[in-house]
Amino acid sequence: MNRFNHPILRTAFSKSKWNLSKYTSPLFRPSYARTMIPLRTYSSTPSLTKEIIYDRIVEILESYDNVKQGSTISPAASFSKDLGLDSLDTVEVLLELENEFSILIPDNEADEIKTVQQAVDYIAAQEDSI
Amino acid sequence: MLKAKKSPLLPPLKLFREILRAHRQLPALQRSLGDSYVKQEFKLHKNTDNPIHIVGFLQSWQDYLQMISDGQWKDYKLSKQELDKMSPEQVGQLYELMKETQNF
Protein backbone atom coordinates (compact mmCIF):
# COMPACT_ATOMS: atom_id res chain seq x y z
CA MET A 1 0.00 0.00 0.00
CA ASN A 2 1.22 3.46 -0.81
CA ARG A 3 2.07 4.76 2.60
CA PHE A 4 0.59 8.20 1.95
CA ASN A 5 -2.76 6.69 1.20
CA HIS A 6 -2.91 4.92 4.49
CA PRO A 7 -5.99 6.06 6.46
CA ILE A 8 -3.98 6.85 9.59
CA LEU A 9 -1.58 9.07 7.67
CA ARG A 10 -4.36 10.76 5.76
CA THR A 11 -5.97 11.72 9.04
CA ALA A 12 -2.67 12.86 10.44
CA PHE A 13 -2.00 15.09 7.46
CA SER A 14 -5.46 16.57 7.32
CA LYS A 15 -5.12 17.57 10.96
CA SER A 16 -1.58 18.84 10.70
CA LYS A 17 -0.75 22.48 10.19
CA TRP A 18 0.61 21.66 6.75
CA ASN A 19 -2.31 21.19 4.54
CA LEU A 20 -1.08 18.56 2.16
CA SER A 21 -4.41 17.89 0.56
CA LYS A 22 -3.31 19.67 -2.61
CA TYR A 23 -0.46 17.18 -2.88
CA THR A 24 -2.63 14.09 -3.02
CA SER A 25 -1.59 13.51 -6.59
CA PRO A 26 1.83 11.81 -6.61
CA LEU A 27 2.99 14.35 -9.17
CA PHE A 28 2.63 17.15 -6.70
CA ARG A 29 4.10 15.39 -3.74
CA PRO A 30 7.08 17.42 -2.56
CA SER A 31 10.29 15.55 -1.88
CA TYR A 32 10.26 16.36 1.85
CA ALA A 33 6.90 14.66 2.20
CA ARG A 34 8.36 11.48 0.86
CA THR A 35 11.02 11.27 3.55
CA MET A 36 8.84 12.41 6.43
CA ILE A 37 7.37 9.74 8.66
CA PRO A 38 5.21 11.77 11.00
CA LEU A 39 3.94 9.18 13.45
CA ARG A 40 4.37 5.67 14.61
CA THR A 41 2.61 3.54 12.10
CA TYR A 42 1.61 0.26 13.67
CA SER A 43 0.66 -1.17 10.33
CA SER A 44 4.16 -0.80 9.02
CA THR A 45 6.15 -2.74 11.62
CA PRO A 46 8.37 -5.19 9.77
CA SER A 47 6.20 -8.15 9.00
CA LEU A 48 7.00 -11.47 10.56
CA THR A 49 8.40 -13.45 7.67
CA LYS A 50 8.81 -17.19 7.70
CA GLU A 51 12.59 -16.69 7.70
CA ILE A 52 12.41 -14.63 10.89
CA ILE A 53 10.07 -17.14 12.50
CA TYR A 54 12.37 -19.99 11.53
CA ASP A 55 15.44 -18.25 12.96
CA ARG A 56 13.71 -17.56 16.25
CA ILE A 57 12.52 -21.16 16.53
CA VAL A 58 16.05 -22.42 15.82
CA GLU A 59 17.36 -20.16 18.56
CA ILE A 60 14.88 -21.61 21.05
CA LEU A 61 15.72 -25.17 20.04
CA GLU A 62 19.45 -24.51 20.26
CA SER A 63 19.11 -23.32 23.82
CA TYR A 64 16.92 -26.25 24.82
CA ASP A 65 18.92 -28.88 26.68
CA ASN A 66 16.79 -31.87 25.74
CA VAL A 67 17.54 -31.59 22.03
CA LYS A 68 19.72 -34.58 21.18
CA GLN A 69 23.44 -33.78 21.02
CA GLY A 70 24.74 -33.58 17.47
CA SER A 71 21.34 -33.35 15.83
CA THR A 72 20.92 -30.85 13.03
CA ILE A 73 18.06 -28.42 13.19
CA SER A 74 16.49 -27.96 9.76
CA PRO A 75 13.01 -27.05 8.53
CA ALA A 76 12.18 -30.68 7.87
CA ALA A 77 13.46 -31.85 11.26
CA SER A 78 10.90 -33.78 13.26
CA PHE A 79 10.84 -32.97 16.98
CA SER A 80 10.71 -36.61 17.96
CA LYS A 81 12.60 -38.45 15.20
CA ASP A 82 15.39 -36.01 14.42
CA LEU A 83 15.76 -33.89 17.54
CA GLY A 84 15.18 -36.71 20.01
CA LEU A 85 12.40 -34.93 21.92
CA ASP A 86 9.76 -36.97 23.70
CA SER A 87 6.13 -35.94 23.92
CA LEU A 88 6.70 -33.99 27.14
CA ASP A 89 9.64 -32.10 25.60
CA THR A 90 7.51 -31.25 22.58
CA VAL A 91 4.83 -29.78 24.84
CA GLU A 92 7.54 -27.68 26.52
CA VAL A 93 8.89 -26.43 23.20
CA LEU A 94 5.43 -25.48 21.93
CA LEU A 95 4.70 -23.60 25.16
CA GLU A 96 8.01 -21.82 24.70
CA LEU A 97 6.92 -20.84 21.19
CA GLU A 98 3.65 -19.53 22.62
CA ASN A 99 5.68 -17.25 24.89
CA GLU A 100 8.07 -16.21 22.16
CA PHE A 101 5.40 -15.24 19.62
CA SER A 102 2.65 -14.20 22.08
CA ILE A 103 0.11 -16.66 20.78
CA LEU A 104 -1.96 -19.43 22.27
CA ILE A 105 -1.89 -22.77 20.46
CA PRO A 106 -5.05 -24.80 21.11
CA ASP A 107 -4.35 -28.40 22.14
CA ASN A 108 -5.77 -30.05 19.05
CA GLU A 109 -3.63 -27.85 16.80
CA ALA A 110 -0.55 -28.30 18.98
CA ASP A 111 -0.88 -32.05 18.57
CA GLU A 112 -0.51 -31.64 14.81
CA ILE A 113 2.77 -29.71 15.01
CA LYS A 114 5.49 -32.31 14.70
CA THR A 115 8.22 -30.66 12.65
CA VAL A 116 10.02 -27.33 12.65
CA GLN A 117 8.38 -26.39 9.34
CA GLN A 118 4.90 -27.11 10.67
CA ALA A 119 5.63 -24.81 13.60
CA VAL A 120 6.82 -22.07 11.23
CA ASP A 121 3.70 -22.42 9.07
CA TYR A 122 1.39 -22.43 12.06
CA ILE A 123 2.93 -19.29 13.57
CA ALA A 124 3.02 -17.50 10.20
CA ALA A 125 -0.70 -18.19 9.82
CA GLN A 126 -1.56 -16.51 13.14
CA GLU A 127 -2.39 -12.87 12.64
CA ASP A 128 -1.50 -11.91 16.19
CA SER A 129 1.97 -13.48 16.30
CA ILE A 130 4.67 -10.94 17.05
CA MET B 1 -10.57 -30.14 47.09
CA LEU B 2 -13.59 -32.46 47.05
CA LYS B 3 -14.94 -30.78 43.99
CA ALA B 4 -11.66 -31.24 42.11
CA LYS B 5 -11.66 -34.95 42.87
CA LYS B 6 -14.94 -35.41 41.04
CA SER B 7 -13.81 -33.88 37.77
CA PRO B 8 -12.66 -36.44 35.19
CA LEU B 9 -8.93 -37.02 34.84
CA LEU B 10 -7.16 -35.09 32.14
CA PRO B 11 -4.87 -37.04 29.81
CA PRO B 12 -1.21 -36.70 30.92
CA LEU B 13 0.04 -34.40 28.16
CA LYS B 14 -2.92 -32.08 28.47
CA LEU B 15 -2.48 -31.97 32.24
CA PHE B 16 1.23 -31.23 31.83
CA ARG B 17 0.49 -28.40 29.41
CA GLU B 18 -2.22 -26.93 31.63
CA ILE B 19 0.06 -26.96 34.67
CA LEU B 20 2.85 -25.16 32.82
CA ARG B 21 0.33 -22.63 31.53
CA ALA B 22 -1.06 -22.08 35.02
CA HIS B 23 2.47 -21.46 36.28
CA ARG B 24 2.69 -18.40 34.03
CA GLN B 25 0.61 -16.46 36.54
CA LEU B 26 2.97 -17.25 39.43
CA PRO B 27 5.69 -14.87 40.65
CA ALA B 28 9.01 -15.56 38.87
CA LEU B 29 10.63 -17.44 41.74
CA GLN B 30 7.71 -19.78 42.38
CA ARG B 31 7.28 -20.23 38.66
CA SER B 32 10.80 -21.39 37.98
CA LEU B 33 10.74 -23.72 40.98
CA GLY B 34 7.35 -25.08 39.95
CA ASP B 35 8.28 -25.47 36.29
CA SER B 36 11.41 -27.45 36.94
CA TYR B 37 9.68 -29.60 39.54
CA VAL B 38 6.71 -30.53 37.37
CA LYS B 39 8.96 -31.19 34.36
CA GLN B 40 11.18 -33.46 36.41
CA GLU B 41 8.27 -35.35 37.97
CA PHE B 42 6.56 -36.02 34.66
CA LYS B 43 9.87 -37.15 33.14
CA LEU B 44 10.53 -39.53 36.01
CA HIS B 45 7.11 -41.12 35.78
CA LYS B 46 6.57 -41.24 32.05
CA ASN B 47 7.34 -44.95 31.86
CA THR B 48 5.17 -45.95 34.80
CA ASP B 49 2.84 -48.74 33.77
CA ASN B 50 1.04 -49.52 37.02
CA PRO B 51 -2.49 -48.16 36.43
CA ILE B 52 -3.02 -47.41 40.12
CA HIS B 53 0.14 -45.32 40.25
CA ILE B 54 -0.80 -43.52 37.04
CA VAL B 55 -4.25 -42.60 38.33
CA GLY B 56 -2.80 -41.47 41.66
CA PHE B 57 -0.16 -39.42 39.91
CA LEU B 58 -2.62 -37.74 37.55
CA GLN B 59 -5.12 -37.11 40.33
CA SER B 60 -2.56 -35.45 42.60
CA TRP B 61 -1.27 -33.23 39.81
CA GLN B 62 -4.79 -32.34 38.79
CA ASP B 63 -5.56 -31.27 42.36
CA TYR B 64 -2.36 -29.28 42.28
CA LEU B 65 -3.42 -27.62 39.02
CA GLN B 66 -6.71 -26.67 40.64
CA MET B 67 -4.85 -25.20 43.60
CA ILE B 68 -2.59 -23.09 41.36
CA SER B 69 -5.38 -21.91 39.07
CA ASP B 70 -7.65 -20.61 41.78
CA GLY B 71 -4.86 -19.10 43.87
CA GLN B 72 -5.29 -21.41 46.89
CA TRP B 73 -1.58 -22.26 46.84
CA LYS B 74 -0.77 -19.10 48.74
CA ASP B 75 -2.44 -20.19 51.95
CA TYR B 76 -2.59 -23.94 51.52
CA LYS B 77 -1.89 -25.88 54.68
CA LEU B 78 -1.02 -29.57 55.01
CA SER B 79 -3.78 -31.42 56.84
CA LYS B 80 -3.08 -33.65 59.83
CA GLN B 81 -4.12 -36.65 57.69
CA GLU B 82 -1.66 -35.79 54.97
CA LEU B 83 1.09 -35.36 57.53
CA ASP B 84 0.25 -38.67 59.22
CA LYS B 85 0.54 -40.52 55.93
CA MET B 86 4.13 -39.37 55.49
CA SER B 87 7.10 -41.51 56.43
CA PRO B 88 9.59 -40.11 59.00
CA GLU B 89 12.01 -39.47 56.11
CA GLN B 90 9.41 -37.45 54.24
CA VAL B 91 8.66 -35.37 57.33
CA GLY B 92 12.39 -34.82 57.78
CA GLN B 93 12.71 -33.75 54.16
CA LEU B 94 9.79 -31.38 54.51
CA TYR B 95 11.43 -29.84 57.54
CA GLU B 96 14.67 -29.36 55.58
CA LEU B 97 12.69 -27.74 52.80
CA MET B 98 11.00 -25.38 55.26
CA LYS B 99 14.37 -24.32 56.67
CA GLU B 100 15.71 -23.81 53.15
CA THR B 101 12.80 -21.61 52.06
CA GLN B 102 13.40 -19.33 55.03
CA ASN B 103 16.63 -18.23 53.37
CA PHE B 104 14.68 -16.38 50.67
Side-chain angles (χ1 to χ4, degrees):
Chain A
M1 187 194 282
N2 179 324
R3 64 177 193 232
F4 283 93
N5 281 332
H6 191 281
I8 295 177
L9 290 189
R10 270 207 305 267
T11 321
F13 279 132
S14 65
K15 284 179 183 159
S16 73
K17 59 182 177 182
W18 306 295
N19 183 354
L20 297 182
S21 56
K22 61 182 170 184
Y23 296 124
T24 43
S25 156
L27 287 175
F28 291 101
R29 192 181 301 141
S31 60
Y32 69 80
R34 255 176 268 138
T35 52
M36 193 169 60
I37 301 178
L39 50 81
R40 196 164 159 198
T41 53
Y42 290 92
S43 56
S44 67
T45 46
S47 60
L48 197 57
T49 63
K50 290 199 174 187
E51 287 74 32
I52 298 175
I53 296 173
Y54 176 71
D55 289 346
R56 280 161 67 184
I57 294 179
V58 169
E59 217 169 293
I60 287 176
L61 288 170
E62 278 172 348
S63 64
Y64 186 52
D65 291 344
N66 294 352
V67 170
K68 194 171 59 187
Q69 286 281 315
S71 57
T72 331
I73 302 168
S74 70
S78 143
F79 293 138
S80 62
K81 291 193 197 91
D82 302 310
L83 306 181
L85 300 180
D86 66 18
S87 52
L88 292 169
D89 296 328
T90 308
V91 168
E92 279 183 44
V93 167
L94 292 176
L95 287 171
E96 214 37 66
L97 296 183
E98 287 191 346
N99 279 344
E100 172 71 18
F101 295 95
S102 298
I103 50 169
L104 205 85
I105 311 176
D107 289 359
N108 55 338
E109 314 208 39
D111 293 340
E112 297 304 312
I113 303 176
K114 299 188 171 80
T115 66
V116 175
Q117 188 61 50
Q118 284 170 343
V120 172
D121 293 343
Y122 181 84
I123 292 163
Q126 307 308 305
E127 283 180 6
D128 47 357
S129 336
I130 51 170
Chain B
M1 283 283 106
L2 265 179
K3 200 177 150 221
K5 287 217 158 63
K6 278 181 199 154
S7 55
L9 282 182
L10 295 172
L13 286 178
K14 186 172 169 56
L15 178 62
F16 182 61
R17 180 155 37 211
E18 291 306 316
I19 291 171
L20 288 176
R21 281 199 180 130
H23 278 173
R24 289 178 182 163
Q25 50 164 318
L26 294 177
L29 193 64
Q30 279 83 350
R31 182 180 170 187
S32 75
L33 180 70
D35 276 0
S36 55
Y37 186 64
V38 68
K39 285 173 189 173
Q40 194 189 350
E41 282 293 300
F42 272 74
K43 276 264 139 109
L44 287 173
H45 294 92
K46 71 170 181 173
N47 294 324
T48 306
D49 46 17
N50 180 333
I52 298 172
H53 292 173
I54 296 176
V55 170
F57 181 85
L58 295 178
Q59 185 64 65
S60 309
W61 278 106
Q62 197 159 322
D63 291 347
Y64 167 87
L65 172 62
Q66 184 72 32
M67 189 168 76
I68 296 291
S69 328
D70 56 22
Q72 292 175 46
W73 63 274
K74 275 184 197 154
D75 37 34
Y76 182 75
K77 293 199 168 49
L78 274 181
S79 66
K80 177 91 172 50
Q81 283 165 311
E82 282 170 309
L83 208 57
D84 287 344
K85 270 199 261 175
M86 288 183 177
S87 66
E89 290 79 31
Q90 285 174 319
V91 176
Q93 209 174 3
L94 200 60
Y95 179 70
E96 293 296 318
L97 181 66
M98 185 193 75
K99 278 203 300 194
E100 199 58 39
T101 54
Q102 283 164 347
N103 294 335
F104 283 103

